[in-house]
């Protein structure tokens, strides 16, 4: 992942986009600190689908609850005990 200053990205935007189209990911930096990432669209889309599937799986797990030796504890129970 190549680091690119915001100034360089502004001045050479077309070449930055060409790099991303060829599969390269770029990290945009301001004064040496990362502020954004530009990634190829397909890579980003695949990550979103994996994230969405993981969130869906976690939601199901939380709705089902956790078996603690015969006592079932769900998300709402844990939340109310934490207060």
């Amino acid at each position: 992942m190549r680091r690119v200053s915001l100034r360089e990205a502004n001045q050479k935007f077309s070449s930055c986009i060409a790099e991303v189209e060829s599969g390269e990911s770029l990290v945009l930096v301001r004064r040496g600190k990362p502020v954004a990432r530009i990634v190829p669209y397909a890579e980003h889309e695949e990550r979103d689908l994996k994230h969405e599937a993981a969130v869906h799986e976690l939601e199901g797990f939380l709705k089902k609850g956790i078996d603690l030796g015969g006592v079932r504890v769900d998300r709402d129970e844990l939340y109310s005990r934490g207060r």
Side-chain angles (χ1 to χ4, degrees):
M1 202 174 302
R2 188 166 84 85
R3 294 168 67 98
V4 179
S5 71
L6 290 177
R7 182 176 185 195
E8 180 184 351
N10 184 38
Q11 293 174 344
K12 300 178 180 177
F13 187 72
S14 292
S15 63
C16 287
I17 294 301
E19 283 185 55
V20 173
E21 285 178 324
S22 70
E24 180 75 28
S25 295
L26 303 177
V27 174
L28 303 181
V29 295
R30 175 185 284 144
R31 297 184 181 133
K33 294 184 180 181
V35 295
R37 181 174 41 187
I38 302 175
V39 297
Y41 182 77
E43 178 183 329
H44 180 70
E45 183 177 292
E46 183 178 319
R47 282 190 203 156
D48 283 350
L49 293 175
K50 287 180 181 179
H51 176 79
E52 187 176 316
V55 167
H56 182 68
E57 184 179 342
L58 180 59
E59 286 174 343
F61 177 74
L62 291 173
K63 285 179 185 175
K64 180 180 174 186
I66 302 169
D67 185 0
L68 299 175
V71 178
R72 302 222 38 98
V73 180
D74 63 12
R75 184 187 66 84
D76 295 330
E77 175 99 14
L78 289 173
Y79 179 76
S80 65
R81 287 184 183 192
R83 288 184 173 201

